[in-house]
């Protein structure tokens, strides 16, 4: 059975990569205290897939090989698969309380599966077979794959071909019998360092004359010419300090990488789009649709943990029975479950593509993500309300540990019977971490900009709003010709 254990996954990513952090080259990144929580998070995916209780959600039977595979490498074969995907993401959000990074490649594969099929039908290319071959390797080896979409985009008022620096959008700079050579950069790359491979896609719908930018391919994340720079996150250096109390979520974390492609060679057999501008927009939209569906699962799982933290700190503060506290917890739950409803709804209304795989409902997936750009902020605001000001005025762990002042902090921060100052510290720092610290990247800013900024969803919603049909409804009722 092609399922890696968490330990096998860890061993498999121990490879030399070209990584920088704080201006320095990083060796053996898997031992780095800032990186390690993000690896623990991915290991949790591999761990849960081994546990009987979660197998139905965490694994699936491959339609390509008939083998049981990790669901993160599955191509959806039904609306039930789409629903299970969202449930799996909620579960992982609950278990890690951060971005677990493996969905981007998952969503890319599901988008590319149907787009490559349709390209072949139109252009008589063989992208679909190539991609299937590539993906069977991913399934059989239980590989983690990133999806690389976002270019740096240079001057936003100019098209890719008109940029003063052509590398503002990743593009083909040379082609020969064996393959292509590409240059450019991809930013906001969730989990790129922790991934074995990445699938690169265009970042927008391309036009005539922009064929070199309409390129999609698979690449090993440590391929020659790739440089990674580790993305900074708020309060990240707390992970370098002694003690773990001030970190908040000290076990798990997300990871964002700035990736530069400098003359990277891609062999022919790993190219899945080369110049087919007409399909660039389709690939972008289908990937974005799948990833917007994902947010109706992952952010809900993290929301569950944040609501739990808000309830727990209310208990520790002795305020849990106040009616306004109870009502705020209800409001947080209502908002969180509304997001989940969107994730489940766009999955339930999924449909079959000509290639045979299932895709979510595009309009509802965009409505889902649009809500995600708002509700986690309100849930976070309410969590801060319930936590009280102490989340941002509390002394450090070093003070709590100090023989001289520690007992004083203990004395004044002790609240109810059974709630020690250390537990209160833990929960307060956890809420701080999720709303203002490292984890706020996954829970807040990523809710805003991940899978496309709010305006991108509004464009998709406006395209599918079908106002003409809605006007017809009025005319029919009012007997207007
Ligand atoms: Fe997965 Fe959510 Fe992270 Fe995207 S933001 S990779 S959907 S956990
Ligand atoms: Fe994301």
């Amino acid at each position: 059975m092609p399922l890696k254990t968490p330990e096998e996954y860890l061993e498999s990513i121990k490879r030399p990569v070209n990584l920088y952090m704080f201006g320095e080259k990083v060796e053996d990144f898997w031992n780095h205290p800032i990186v390690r929580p993000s690896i623990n998070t991915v290991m949790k995916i591999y761990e849960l897939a081994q546990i009987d209780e979660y197998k139905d959600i965490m694994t699936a039977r491959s339609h390509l090989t008939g083998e049981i595979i990790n669901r993160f490498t599955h191509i959806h074969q039904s609306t039930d698969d789409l629903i299970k995907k969202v449930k799996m993401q909620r579960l992982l959000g609950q278990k890690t309380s951060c971005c677990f990074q493996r969905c981007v490649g998952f969503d890319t594969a599901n988008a590319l599966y149907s787009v490559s099929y349709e390209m072949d039908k139109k252009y008589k290319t063989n992208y679909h077979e190539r991609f299937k071959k590539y993906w069977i390797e991913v399934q059989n080896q239980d590989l983690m794959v990133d999806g690389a979409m976002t270019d740096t985009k240079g001057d936003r008022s100019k098209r890719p071909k008109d940029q003063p620096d052509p590398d503002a959008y990743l593009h083909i700079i040379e082609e020969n019998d064996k393959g292509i050579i590409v240059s450019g950069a991809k930013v906001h790359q969730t989990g790129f360092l922790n991934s074995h491979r990445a699938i690169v896609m265009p970042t927008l719908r391309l036009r005539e004359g922009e064929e070199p930018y309409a390129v999609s391919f698979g690449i090993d994340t440590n391929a020659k010419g790739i440089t990674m720079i580790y993305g900074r996150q708020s309060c990240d250096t707390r992970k370098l300090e002694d003690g773990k109390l001030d970190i908040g979520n000290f076990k798990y974390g997300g990871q964002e990488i700035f990736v530069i492609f400098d003359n990277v060679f891609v062999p022919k057999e790993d190219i899945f789009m080369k110049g087919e501008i007409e399909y660039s927009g389709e690939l972008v939209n289908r990937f974005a649709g799948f990833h917007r569906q994902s947010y109706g699962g992952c952010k809900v799982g993290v929301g569950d943990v944040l609501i739990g933290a808000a309830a727990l700190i209310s208990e520790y503060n002795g305020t849990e029975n106040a009616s306004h506290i109870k009502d705020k917890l209800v409001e947080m739950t209502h908002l969180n479950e509304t997001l989940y409803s969107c994730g489940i709804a766009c999955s339930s209304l999924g449909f079959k593509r000509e290639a045979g795989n299932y895709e979510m409902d595009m309009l509802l997936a965009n409505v889902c993500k649009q809500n995600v750009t708002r509700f986690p902020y309100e849930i976070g605001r309410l969590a801060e309300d319930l936590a009280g000001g102490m989340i941002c005025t509390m002394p450090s762990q070093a003070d709590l540990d100090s023989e001289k002042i520690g007992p004083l902090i203990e004395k004044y921060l002790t609240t109810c019977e059974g709630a020690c100052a250390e537990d209160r510290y833990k929960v307060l720092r956890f809420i701080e971490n999720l709303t203002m610290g490292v984890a706020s990247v996954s829970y807040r800013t990523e809710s805003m900009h991940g899978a496309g900024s709010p305006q991108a969803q509004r464009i998709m919603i406006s395209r599918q709003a079908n106002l003409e049909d809605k006007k017809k409804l009025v005319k029919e009722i009012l007997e207007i010709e």
Side-chain angles (χ1 to χ4, degrees), residues 312-320 410-411 413-421 423-424:
L312 192 58
I313 202 64
S314 304
E315 186 187 313
Y316 290 173
N317 288 346
T319 56
E320 63 179 330
E410 184 95 35
K411 169 179 153 78
L413 285 192
T414 297
T415 50
C416 310
E417 215 188 314
C420 66
D423 288 347
R424 202 162 161 239

Side-chain angles (χ1 to χ4, degrees), residues 99 104 188 190 256 291 295 298-299 442 446 449-451:
C99 167
V104 198
H188 322 311
T190 302
E256 303 295 333
H291 210 48
Y295 276 47
C298 78
K299 298 294 175 253
S442 305
E446 199 171 44
H449 294 293

Side-chain angles (χ1 to χ4, degrees), residues 252-438:
Y252 304 112
Q255 172 191 95
E256 303 295 333
I257 312 284
F258 196 116
V259 187
I260 295 152
F261 291 73
D262 179 17
N263 281 276
V264 175
F265 171 71
V266 184
K268 238 181 188 167
E269 58 273 19
D270 294 342
I271 300 170
F272 311 125
M273 174 184 280
K274 187 172 65 67
E276 291 80 4
I277 43 170
E278 213 181 311
Y279 285 89
S280 56
E282 270 313 304
L283 185 54
V284 171
N285 288 343
R286 285 184 209 180
F287 162 74
F290 277 121
H291 210 48
R292 288 167 196 172
Q293 171 207 21
S294 290
Y295 276 47
C298 78
K299 298 294 175 253
V300 180
V302 180
D304 285 328
V305 189
L306 184 54
I307 294 168
L312 192 58
I313 202 64
S314 304
E315 186 187 313
Y316 290 173
N317 288 346
T319 56
E320 63 179 330
N321 290 322
S323 63
H324 76 100
I325 299 284
K326 285 183 184 163
D327 191 55
K328 280 164 187 163
L329 289 166
V330 168
E331 179 64 10
M332 292 165 88
T333 306
H334 161 72
L335 292 168
N336 206 39
E337 297 301 332
T338 304
L339 297 179
Y340 190 51
S341 308
C342 292
I344 294 295
C346 71
S347 307
S348 308
L349 293 190
F351 67 99
K352 192 176 184 175
R353 281 277 179 199
E354 224 183 318
N357 62 324
Y358 273 71
E359 192 170 304
M360 75 291 132
D361 180 87
M362 194 58 93
L363 176 59
L364 294 191
N366 277 279
V367 170
C368 176
K369 174 67 213 316
Q370 181 82 171
N371 283 337
V372 173
T373 65
R374 300 170 181 172
F375 297 177
Y377 285 83
E378 182 61 9
I379 295 171
R381 187 184 74 80
L382 290 166
E384 285 183 50
D385 179 351
L386 267 56
M390 195 57 79
I391 48 168
C392 57
T393 62
M394 200 165 55
S396 70
Q397 177 176 1
D399 295 311
L400 184 67
D401 290 345
S402 135
E403 271 177 33
K404 227 173 181 176
I405 47 177
L408 286 171
I409 298 175
E410 184 95 35
K411 169 179 153 78
Y412 287 106
L413 285 192
T414 297
T415 50
C416 310
E417 215 188 314
C420 66
E422 187 177 319
D423 288 347
R424 202 162 161 239
Y425 246 79
K426 276 188 178 164
V427 181
L428 286 168
R429 285 291 184 221
F430 189 81
I431 296 173
E432 181 201 25
N433 178 246
L434 264 171
T435 53
M436 298 172 243
V438 171

